[in-house]
Structure formats: C-alpha cells, structure tokens
Amino acid sequence: MPDIVEVVQEIAEEMRQRPDRGEVATYIPELAGVDPNQFGLAVIDTEGHVAAAGDCDVPFSIQSVSKVFTLTLALGKVGDRLWSRVGREPSGSAFNSIVQLEYEHGIPRNPFINAGAIAVTDVILSGHKPREALGEILRFMRFLADDPAIAIDEAVAASEQRTGFRNAALANYMKSYGVLENPVDYTLGVYFHHCALAMSCRQLAMAGRFLAQRGKHPVTGLSVVQPERARRINAVMLTCGHYDGSGEFAYRVGLPGKSGVGGGILAIAPGKASIAVWSPGLDASGNSHLGRIALEALTRRMGWSIFGA
Ligand code: GLU
C-alpha cells in the first residue's frame, strides 16, 4: 500500500503546477474574488491519522457541501418521513434547475440539488426560529469537526441573499405546492447561511469522518447516526452529489462525494478515510475542476474506489 502522506504531498504538488484551473463561480459576487490558484487536500483515516497538504488550513465557503450535514440533521429530526418531501434519484439537470420541479409537482428530485436542499432546510427550521435552526446547524458542525472555531461567513451569506433570485424562485414554487412549511424568506435565510459556512479541508474531512466509520463520532465514539443511515447518506452522495456530473464523478473517482460551488468536495472512502479537497475553479457542471482530478489520482494510487482497484 503506498504511503498516504507521500501520495497527498505528490498530488498537491502536481495540482499546484497545473495550468488548467477551471472558472471561479461568479453568480455569488463574494465568491468571484477568490484566488483560483489555491489548492488544499486533507485525508483523515478511521484511526485519526491525518495527511494534509497545500492550502489545507485555509477556510473556504463550503456552499453545497453543507447539504450532507443538513440532510443528516433532517433525517435525525423526521426520519424516513423526509422522503415524502424530497426524492432520492439523480436529477440529470443543473444544480439550480427549475424545469423538473414543475413536472414533479414541486417535489425536488433529491436533497442535494438546490430545491431539495431548500426543502430539507425547511424541515430543520420547522418549530424553530431561523436563528435557532442556524445555531443547531453550526453546533452540529463544530461537534462533528471537534472544533468550536467554525463560523459562518456573513459577507458570503449576505452576498447570496442579495442575488439569490433563482433560489427564491425555486422556494416560492415549492411553497405554492405546500412543500415548504415556513415563510419563504426564513427558509432561504437559513439556507444561504448554512451554505456560507467557512471551513478548511482539515475541518471538513474531520466533520465527514462519521460517514467513513459507520456513523460513529471519531473522537467520542458516540453514534452520530446508525450504520444503516450512514450507508444510505453515502449512497445519495454517490448518485446525486455532483449534480449533472455525478455519473462522471462515479466513473472517474468511484467514491461517494459532495461538491460545492466554493470549489470544495467531501469524499468518503467507507471504512477507510474521509477526504476533503478544495480548489476554487469549477468545471461546466459546477464542480471543482482540480478537486475532481486530485480525487481521481488519490483513489487510483490508493486503490480506494468502492468499485475495486
Ligand atoms: N448556495 C449555492 C446556491 O444555492 C450552493 C450551490 C452549490 O454549492 O452548488 O446556489
């Protein structure tokens, strides 16, 4: 088995030198100014050994990677009843597509496209004030990452709140079908804020560890979710975690993963490791360009694809 510390260093060096870096997301103005030359990678195995390189300690906007954690919280709150509000099939369309919602009567295809994540956020919000719901999400992230310093970047949240017309359209459309219970502004406010969580690769890999180790919290050993639920969240990540690029990601990387337009990806090698990679430039599907290439190199060299070496 190759040495993971060396492999991570090699990959970070290879990615630093590549000229093709993708395009930074500009539709959220605050993200448009992020330097595309950054690259970070952190791998934490199930025993807690860390291999990290590049800009692995620089906080970035995790954006849609937060949807893995809000899905976990919503399942904890309402259990499998969640699946009457949101589906679990790949969408085959863009992350912010509105056309499918009309065909499917306001029920989003899966919890990782924007419409689905807004519906999941609404479930977490019910019975709470927006501030309380956000507090719950933030506490959950700090608990999982074992790091009380994790925070929300208010400038990013405000930037998206000012310009998130497409998400407002999706939310209003779902509200018209009764899929959202709370005032649209409240649900969107919580959604924009959890997308604006700022975390480093090291913190994010730590937060994802419970999915690599059958639902157990890495430090306390307590159960975050049952093993069956961890397995199912991984399944939804594999099939839906990269929007319209989910098939390509499974083909090339072969791990459950969730991307965000900030350029981060959380990938899970079940029973082996939790991996976070960040490079801000995106490909045409809105997924980190170098992040995907780096993960492909990592799984190939380590033999970690769930489909075999
Ligand atoms: N906050 C972003 C949006 O709703 C998340 C999209 C993403 O990261 O893919 O547009």
Side-chain angles (χ1 to χ4, degrees), residues 27 63-64 95 114 160 167 191 195 243 260-261:
Y27 77 98
Q63 291 297 320
S64 285
F95 67 102
N114 285 10
E160 192 170 6
N167 285 324
Y191 170 78
C195 287
Y243 309 120
V261 293

Side-chain angles (χ1 to χ4, degrees), residues 16-17 32-33 35 66 70 80 86 108 140 145 169-170 189 201 203 208 214 227-228 231 238 272 274 276 279:
R16 197 180 63 76
Q17 290 177 12
D35 174 6
S66 64
T70 48
D80 285 338
V86 57
F140 188 52
L170 293 168
C201 288
Q203 290 168 327
R214 296 167 51 80
E228 179 181 66
R231 172 164 60 76
L238 180 78
K272 298 192 172 71
S274 170
S279 178

